[in-house]
């Protein structure tokens, strides 16, 4: 496949190694927020709470308080793993009849190629907003394992929001990809567009000072910090949020928010090659990962490095799994469309670890900003199949099926927290990275720099950086397309991970992620 990208440019990221804690995040400022919490004596869960809210400010189109997700964590003092589940739900008053199909074979133009719904009501606008769970998830994780006061953990996010979001080339690129939809909501247009039309730009003349102002979001976060997380579901924030959604045509109510609860779950415990992988259960990609690893353990015979046989095995098990998932779980996401998700991983100096994936679903979620809170809203309703009678059909008060797959893995004395953003591409990325780390005992640096494939559709996507024989073998076996590893959209997902080996902690983020970085815990005063 021909493209205009350089064939001589090399991109690498340095793996940070330290005896202290680490945070690996898709945004450097969010990672630094978590590292400062670790330096203040916080637990890995404390740091995860800080990163969650800071990431929602630093990358507001990727995740935030208005979304949902899950955390897989490991407690070194208890030698056990847990899952904190905080996925979104459809509102109790949602009526599937309000989402009629457009007909004539039309297909949605957003993340999932469902049959199109009239006016894209399930994908864009307030009618696409589901009940958010992120705040409740962070509340539950903190109440169970946190050490520092809740108020302190939100201060970095508040400070970032008061500063405003700097506009650089990547900000402009992200806004440009959604500008036509943002223009349809007056509050979103005011926040992200110039003259309600044009993406804000970080050109040479303005790069030093252009910022997206987030004062309203800062006030919301400050209220959450002072009044506590229940203010989001039972207080003024929740009441204002529900009113904003209803004023814009949605059906979210204060009762939906009051009824929402995050939950502690037992993780899937997946034996693999003498080690073990802990993954999210139920309505996530964790069960799919379990089935893939079970197949991979019998079909893959590891050698010194992943070869043609390894990548054929990867393609085989992933294609089999996605055929099953499409038939039984209703997951039908279009991997060509950028997903709106954040993943970050944390390890503290004691060996406690967190893998957290949180999302608004699409890039910029519903493309609607709540004026009272100053935050982008999710479009979780799009997770449901708009056709009735399907495995994942649209219905009221129902959990949303997610592709997220945050995991904790352990083998050969090493333990890692791993996950990715990227919709359907998450599972292939996580599975291959688990294999690199466990089957081939790669270093974290080698694993993150090694080329991967994606087999989440009938067309297998191949990185030209794959070993030649591996590339040729998979290309001969399956319909395929070549795609280089780049930063937009991510053809092979966007992972972040930390790894503990003995007393040393390591961290790395996707090498093509321009904002992704690892922040070490600063020395204590």
């Amino acid at each position: 496949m021909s493209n205009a990208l350089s064939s001589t440019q090399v991109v690498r990221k340095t793996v940070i190694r330290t005896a202290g804690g680490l945070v690996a995040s898709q945004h450097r400022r969010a990672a630094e927020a978590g590292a400062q919490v670790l330096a203040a004596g916080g637990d890995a869960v404390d740091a995860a709470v800080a990163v969650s809210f800071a990431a929602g400010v630093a990358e507001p189109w990727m995740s935030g308080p208005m979304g949902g997700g899950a955390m897989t964590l490991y407690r070194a003092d208890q030698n056990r793993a847990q899952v904190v589940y905080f996925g979104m739900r459809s509102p109790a008053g949602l009526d599937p009849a309000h989402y009629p199909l457009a007909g004539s074979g039309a297909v949605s133009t957003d993340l999932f190629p469902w049959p199109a719904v009239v006016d894209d009501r399930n994908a864009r606008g307030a009618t696409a907003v589901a009940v958010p769970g992120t705040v409740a998830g962070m509340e539950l994780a903190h109440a169970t394992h946190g050490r520092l006061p809740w108020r302190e953990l939100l201060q970095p996010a508040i400070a970032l929001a008061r500063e405003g979001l700097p506009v650089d080339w990547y900000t402009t690129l992200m806004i440009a990809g959604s500008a036509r939809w943002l223009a349809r909501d007056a509050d979103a247009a005011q926040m992200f567009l110039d003259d309600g039309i044009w993406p804000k730009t970080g050109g040479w003349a303005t790069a030093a000072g252009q910022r997206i102002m987030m004062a309203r979001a800062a006030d919301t976060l400050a209220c959450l910090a002072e009044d506590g997380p229940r203010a989001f579901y039972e207080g003024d924030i929740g009441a204002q949020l529900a009113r904003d959604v209803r004023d814009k045509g949605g059906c979210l109510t204060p009762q939906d928010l009051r009824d929402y609860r995050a939950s502690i779950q037992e993780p899937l415990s997946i034996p693999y090659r003498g080690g073990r992988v802990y993954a999210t259960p139920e309505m996530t990609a964790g069960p799919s990962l379990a089935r893939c690893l079970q197949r991979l353990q019998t079909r893959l015979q590891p050698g010194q490095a992943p070869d043609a046989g390894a990548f054929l095995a990867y393609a085989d098990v992933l294609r089999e799994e996605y055929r099953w998932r499409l038939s039984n779980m209703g997951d039908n996401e279009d991997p060509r469309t950028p997903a709106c998700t954040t993943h970050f991983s944390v390890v503290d100096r004691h060996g406690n670890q967190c893998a957290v994936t949180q999302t608004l679903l699409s890039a910029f979620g519903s493309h609607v900003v709540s004026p009272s809170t100053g935050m982008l809203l999710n479009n979780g309703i799009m997770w449901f199949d708009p056709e009735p009678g399907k495995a994942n059909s649209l219905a009221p008060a129902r959990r949303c099926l997610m592709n997220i797959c945050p995991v904790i893995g352990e083998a050969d004395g090493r333990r890692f927290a791993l996950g990715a953003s990227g919709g359907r591409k998450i599972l292939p990325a996580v599975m291959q990275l688990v294999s690199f780390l466990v089957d081939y005992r790669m270093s974290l640096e080698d694993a993150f720099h090694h080329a991967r494939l994606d087999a989440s559709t009938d067309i297998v996507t191949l990185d030209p950086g794959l070993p030649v024989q591996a590339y040729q073998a998979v290309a001969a076996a399956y319909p395929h397309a070549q795609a280089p590893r780049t930063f937009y959209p991510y053809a092979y997902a966007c992972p972040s991970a930390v790894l503990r080996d003995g007393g040393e902690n390591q961290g790395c983020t996707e090498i093509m992620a321009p904002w992704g970085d690892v922040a070490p815990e600063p020395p204590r005063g």
Side-chain angles (χ1 to χ4, degrees), residues 409-431:
E410 53 189 24
D412 298 323
R414 303 193 302 175
R415 182 172 289 107
F416 54 85
L418 166 67
S421 62
R424 284 185 69 180
K425 297 182 284 291
I426 291 173
L427 173 61
V430 170
M431 189 200 76

Side-chain angles (χ1 to χ4, degrees), residues 396-466:
R398 188 175 182 184
R399 285 189 300 172
C400 303
L401 172 66
M402 299 185 289
N403 283 300
I404 65 172
C405 195
V407 304
I408 301 289
E410 53 189 24
D412 298 323
R414 303 193 302 175
R415 182 172 289 107
F416 54 85
L418 166 67
S421 62
R424 284 185 69 180
K425 297 182 284 291
I426 291 173
L427 173 61
V430 170
M431 189 200 76
Q432 287 170 88
L433 286 166
V434 167
S435 179
F436 292 167
L437 292 168
V438 176
D439 290 322
Y440 301 97
R441 212 178 188 283
M442 287 188 190
S443 68
L444 196 61
E445 182 169 2
D446 288 344
F448 266 65
H449 287 82
H450 201 289
R452 305 187 301 272
L453 58 74
D454 182 77
S456 59
T457 70
D458 290 337
I459 304 297
V460 179
T461 304
L462 299 175
D463 188 332
L466 287 168

Side-chain angles (χ1 to χ4, degrees), residues 4 22 35 37 67-68 94-95 101 134 151 166 236 262 289 310 338 341 380 416 459 506 521:
L22 286 171
V37 166
L94 181 142
D95 183 354
L101 300 181
T134 298
R151 180 185 182 280
D236 290 344
L289 177 66
T341 302
F416 54 85
I459 304 297
Q506 306 173 23
E521 174 186 348

Side-chain angles (χ1 to χ4, degrees), residues 218-507:
D219 291 342
T220 301
L221 291 168
C223 180
L224 270 178
E226 296 300 327
D227 297 344
R230 282 294 97 194
F232 189 90
Y233 295 96
E234 300 169 2
D236 290 344
I237 296 175
Q240 293 167 353
L241 169 61
R243 185 190 64 234
D244 287 349
V245 173
R246 293 197 308 277
D247 286 349
K248 295 191 178 199
C251 59
L252 183 71
T253 67
Q255 191 62 47
D256 288 320
L257 293 165
R258 285 193 292 269
D259 289 344
Y260 185 89
R261 293 293 184 273
S263 61
I264 298 286
Q265 300 177 337
E266 284 299 311
L268 298 177
S269 180
I270 311 163
Y272 186 69
R273 208 79 68 179
R276 192 162 296 274
V277 176
Y278 299 100
T280 49
E282 300 179 7
M283 302 288 283
T284 70
S288 291
L289 177 66
R291 289 186 288 268
C292 286
L293 291 178
Q294 288 164 1
R295 297 187 191 111
L296 199 61
Q297 185 156 240
T298 61
R299 299 187 194 183
L300 174 62
Q301 303 301 320
Q304 294 298 311
D307 56 11
F311 281 96
L312 274 172
Y314 296 157
D316 288 344
V317 301
L318 286 166
R319 282 171 58 90
E320 290 170 11
E321 180 56 30
Y322 274 106
R323 280 195 294 269
W324 184 92
R325 190 173 172 92
L326 281 166
S327 300
N328 293 278
M329 297 183 75
D331 173 15
N332 192 31
E333 181 182 315
D334 185 348
R336 297 169 299 178
T337 309
C340 174
T341 302
T342 291
H343 179 83
F344 56 89
S345 297
V346 184
V347 58
D348 65 26
R349 61 176 53 243
H350 304 293
N352 300 309
Q353 295 186 349
C354 298
V356 184
T357 312
Q358 56 186 43
T359 184
L360 294 179
L361 184 51
S362 293
F364 291 87
S366 60
H367 301 88
V368 169
V369 167
S370 156
S372 299
T373 66
M375 294 179 179
L376 279 161
L377 303 179
N378 70 74
N379 64 332
I381 298 304
M382 194 177 64
W383 258 310
F384 298 103
D385 190 333
E387 285 193 285
K390 297 295 185 69
N392 185 41
S393 291
L394 187 60
R398 188 175 182 184
R399 285 189 300 172
C400 303
L401 172 66
M402 299 185 289
N403 283 300
I404 65 172
C405 195
V407 304
I408 301 289
E410 53 189 24
D412 298 323
R414 303 193 302 175
R415 182 172 289 107
F416 54 85
L418 166 67
S421 62
R424 284 185 69 180
K425 297 182 284 291
I426 291 173
L427 173 61
V430 170
M431 189 200 76
Q432 287 170 88
L433 286 166
V434 167
S435 179
F436 292 167
L437 292 168
V438 176
D439 290 322
Y440 301 97
R441 212 178 188 283
M442 287 188 190
S443 68
L444 196 61
E445 182 169 2
D446 288 344
F448 266 65
H449 287 82
H450 201 289
R452 305 187 301 272
L453 58 74
D454 182 77
S456 59
T457 70
D458 290 337
I459 304 297
V460 179
T461 304
L462 299 175
D463 188 332
L466 287 168
V468 174
Q469 291 184 334
Y471 187 105
Q472 292 173 343
V474 179
Y478 292 114
H480 65 283
Q482 183 185 109
R485 194 171 179 178
T486 186
F487 55 82
Y488 184 86
Y490 293 103
Y492 307 99
C494 184
S496 299
V498 294
L499 182 148
R500 185 172 179 84
D501 188 358
E504 181 184 75
N505 293 325
Q506 306 173 23

Side-chain angles (χ1 to χ4, degrees), residues 70-83:
M71 172 192 299
T72 302
L73 59 90
Y74 171 78
R75 304 303 303 173
D77 54 346
Q78 302 172 12
N79 190 27
R80 64 170 301 195
Q82 285 182 318
V83 168

